[in-house]
Amino acid sequence: ISPDMRCSNPNFGGPTCEVAPIPSWLTNAACENYHDAGVLARVALAMTEHHESEDSDSSSDSATSYDSDDEEPKPTQHTFVTRSSLCLQCRRLTDSICPGCEGCYVCDDCCTSGRRWSHECQCRTWKMYVSHREELSSFDFGTDGVCGDWYTSLMGRGFQTSEEPYEQFIKTRFGTLGTGSWWRTELSGWAGGNSDSASAVDPTVRQSYRQGFAPLCNNHLNLLPPERHITSQDVTRVNLTTTHHEFIQMPILNSWAEYYALRGISLSSPVALLCTFPLTIYYALQQYGSVPATVAQMGKRALRIHVVGAEKELNFLDLFKEIGFLLPNDGGKSFPAVELVFIVREDMLPTKISNDTHTNTTPFCLTEPFLANLTIKVVSGTYGDETLDPNFDIGSGPPDMIMALNAGLFAYESWRFVVSYLHQHPTIVGVFSDYNEYSGMNCAALGGCKARESLRINPFRQPRAMPVYSMNLPQFSNGFLYVFNEQELE
């Protein structure tokens, strides 16, 4: 056991500090991943205090009372309070980087006073994470003579420490963004459905690629993917191979260069910044979906994929048509049709849905048959709790696969339901992406040793370095992938 687990640790508040019992799913992560149990114990304590405060509020009439007909309080929205680097230990503002690993910020006070104990046990590991920055910053886009340096410029130090350079890149590249432009959400984020872009999102309205990617136009420069299914001639033209299973065949894509070539996109186009979302799901299907797809194929039904924790994906639902365009369109002979269900928490719904089309007593539900081989659905609720049973309340049936983009399984307590569901259903494959290797390793450990060992770099990560304000680790949207309950065809 690590010293971090001792109740007498001074950083826990003294010998008499009472540490909350650690749930089994947290204990598993502690045992499997560098014994960083001190952090996990503090997380468990915070979660316990949160439950106690909720219980006391609900049982006290004097604190908050309302009739059953009154509108229930809206969940608290959480926002970032700073965009500056913070000491990993005490959360003070600092620009000093740990000299041992160069992977985190540590203020001079903590560094000299010996309060770096919780980081020292990980310092060498973080040094390894930092050593992967060059590999993560390299993208195989190939060359076409007009590519320029749009993606290499997004790897600079300024992009690693602040959001401002990327905001300036979007504004310079695209100028004024229309209300329906997908780039608006990429620029202003989601903020629990309350950002400037999210407040205007209406997932019931369909958009073409030309409308969504605007003002990036698709003239003779081939800046956008064509809105059509790929053909066997397309696959042959770029010399791609396909998966060799009796029931399942799909083009194998392993780089942005192959995707751009297959779809006839100019390498000067920055569409990869948004296409990382559908391409990550496609790649997860390619790597881990052979057994679920075969089961669905043999059952003569759609492959059911639940995408949990959806947020800004709601702004560009139409972009996920790209999955259907890349998969075979032969009536299910080579690959089953896909039912893609996005599950969004109530507090993450766009303002327009919350105000216009949704009530607390009726979950939001949307079904859109986008293509012959792809149906997309949106359902609101917390996955796996008493209000949203994955076996009965979502889509046409229980999932074959569960996915989550940039999940961060420690970010919200509601992820416990997803992890528990996957543990209880070992035949269901769960695939998650994460921003950085440290988060990915910790979160993957919730699935045990095999899941932790499955952590890999995602070739379809977003080609843009991102800041993380308490660390100096390489950070990319959909940067890493890991899988729970991985299965292989015999």
Side-chain angles (χ1 to χ4, degrees):
I1 296 293
S2 164
D4 293 354
M5 288 291 287
R6 300 173 187 167
C7 297
S8 60
N9 194 305
N11 289 277
F12 263 63
T16 61
C17 175
E18 182 179 352
V19 179
I22 301 179
S24 58
W25 62 282
L26 284 175
T27 305
N28 186 30
C31 293
E32 297 291 351
N33 192 50
Y34 305 109
H35 306 286
D36 189 21
V39 175
L40 301 179
R42 286 194 289 275
V43 171
L45 183 60
M47 289 163 55
T48 302
E49 291 173 346
H50 176 67
H51 277 305
E52 291 174 351
S53 64
E54 287 183 338
D55 293 341
S56 62
D57 288 344
S58 61
S59 61
S60 174
D61 294 334
S62 61
T64 302
S65 62
Y66 50 87
D67 297 330
S68 58
D69 295 333
D70 293 341
E71 183 178 354
E72 295 183 7
K74 189 174 182 179
T76 301
Q77 299 293 339
H78 301 282
T79 58
F80 289 108
V81 297
T82 180
R83 286 189 170 189
S84 301
S85 54
L86 302 172
C87 174
L88 183 66
Q89 187 65 36
C90 70
R91 318 306 290 176
R92 296 174 183 170
L93 295 174
T94 181
D95 292 326
S96 300
I97 295 177
C98 171
C101 65
E102 298 183 351
C104 71
Y105 296 97
V106 182
C107 70
D108 295 337
D109 188 33
C110 286
C111 190
T112 57
S113 64
R115 287 188 288 173
R116 294 179 62 243
W117 58 268
S118 64
H119 173 64
E120 286 177 351
C121 64
Q122 296 181 320
C123 192
R124 294 180 64 182
T125 303
W126 283 37
K127 184 176 182 178
M128 178 190 69
Y129 295 158
V130 173
S131 71
H132 297 156
R133 189 184 301 278
E134 182 176 355
E135 179 182 3
L136 286 161
S137 301
S138 301
F139 291 85
D140 180 16
F141 275 95
T143 57
D144 68 350
V146 295
C147 182
D149 60 352
W150 71 264
Y151 62 93
T152 55
S153 66
L154 300 181
M155 303 300 148
R157 180 60 181 167
F159 291 86
Q160 299 168 21
T161 58
S162 173
E163 296 280 358
E164 293 180 4
Y166 186 57
E167 294 172 357
Q168 188 60 41
F169 171 85
I170 295 292
K171 292 177 180 178
T172 302
R173 186 98 184 185
F174 303 117
T176 302
L177 299 175
T179 302
S181 175
W182 297 336
W183 299 108
R184 288 194 69 201
T185 300
E186 180 65 12
L187 182 65
S188 61
W190 192 249
N194 292 313
S195 69
D196 291 339
S197 61
S199 61
V201 169
D202 186 352
T204 64
V205 177
R206 305 276 57 83
Q207 288 182 296
S208 67
Y209 282 4
R210 179 181 288 272
Q211 293 171 321
F213 280 112
L216 186 67
C217 62
N218 194 26
N219 50 26
H220 63 281
L221 296 178
N222 296 323
L223 298 178
L224 306 182
E227 292 192 69
R228 64 166 179 82
H229 292 276
I230 63 170
T231 65
S232 57
Q233 289 78 12
D234 293 327
V235 176
T236 302
R237 171 175 52 82
V238 295
N239 197 29
L240 291 180
T241 59
T242 59
T243 52
H244 299 292
H245 301 127
E246 181 179 357
F247 295 100
I248 305 301
Q249 296 181 14
M250 59 189 297
I252 297 177
L253 293 171
N254 291 308
S255 70
W256 281 118
E258 291 178 345
Y259 167 70
Y260 270 51
L262 177 64
R263 300 293 275 148
I265 307 170
S266 168
L267 294 178
S268 63
S269 171
V271 294
L273 293 170
L274 294 181
C275 287
T276 176
F277 296 98
L279 265 293
T280 293
I281 291 180
Y282 182 87
Y283 185 72
L285 273 175
Q286 173 186 301
Q287 297 298 121
Y288 309 114
S290 57
V291 171
T294 299
V295 171
Q297 187 83 308
M298 296 177 68
K300 297 182 179 180
R301 61 170 176 80
L303 173 65
R304 298 187 286 254
I305 303 174
H306 292 178
V307 182
V308 186
E311 294 181 11
K312 70 179 183 180
E313 293 89 341
L314 298 184
N315 188 31
F316 40 80
L317 284 179
D318 294 84
L319 182 56
F320 289 91
K321 288 188 294 187
E322 198 64 11
I323 298 171
F325 288 146
L326 293 173
L327 291 173
N329 184 36
D330 56 6
K333 296 178 181 179
S334 302
F335 199 93
V338 173
E339 178 185 276
L340 197 62
V341 185
F342 291 90
I343 295 92
V344 54
R345 287 197 351 239
E346 296 282 347
D347 59 325
M348 291 294 173
L349 283 171
T351 306
K352 187 173 182 60
I353 293 178
S354 300
N355 295 338
D356 298 344
T357 62
H358 169 69
T359 66
N360 289 328
T361 58
T362 304
F364 175 78
C365 185
L366 170 71
T367 300
E368 291 281 353
F370 276 55
L371 303 168
N373 63 343
L374 177 67
T375 296
I376 290 183
K377 300 184 178 184
V378 179
V379 178
S380 67
T382 299
Y383 195 83
D385 72 356
E386 64 275 5
T387 64
L388 204 62
D389 189 330
N391 295 321
F392 302 103
D393 300 333
I394 303 172
S396 61
D400 299 297
M401 300 182 73
I402 295 175
M403 297 187 188
L405 302 173
N406 296 318
L409 298 184
F410 284 107
Y412 298 102
E413 188 180 355
S414 56
W415 282 117
R416 289 187 305 154
F417 298 115
V418 180
V419 174
S420 297
Y421 185 80
L422 286 169
H423 281 310
Q424 295 165 8
H425 299 82
T427 59
I428 298 175
V429 178
V431 185
F432 304 88
S433 71
D434 219 318
Y435 287 105
N436 62 62
E437 195 167 2
Y438 171 69
S439 178
M441 188 67 73
N442 275 277
C443 296
L446 294 173
C449 291
K450 189 174 181 180
R452 187 184 65 178
E453 292 169 357
S454 72
L455 186 70
R456 63 192 297 170
I457 293 176
N458 175 18
F460 294 103
R461 63 197 177 277
Q462 188 183 51
R464 163 220 170 186
M466 298 179 65
V468 52
Y469 296 110
S470 61
M471 307 176 189
N472 189 43
L473 298 178
Q475 174 111 333
F476 292 83
S477 178
N478 297 315
F480 292 85
L481 289 174
Y482 55 92
V483 58
F484 287 19
N485 303 335
E486 183 176 2
Q487 302 170 23
E488 296 181 2
L489 285 173
E490 297 181 356

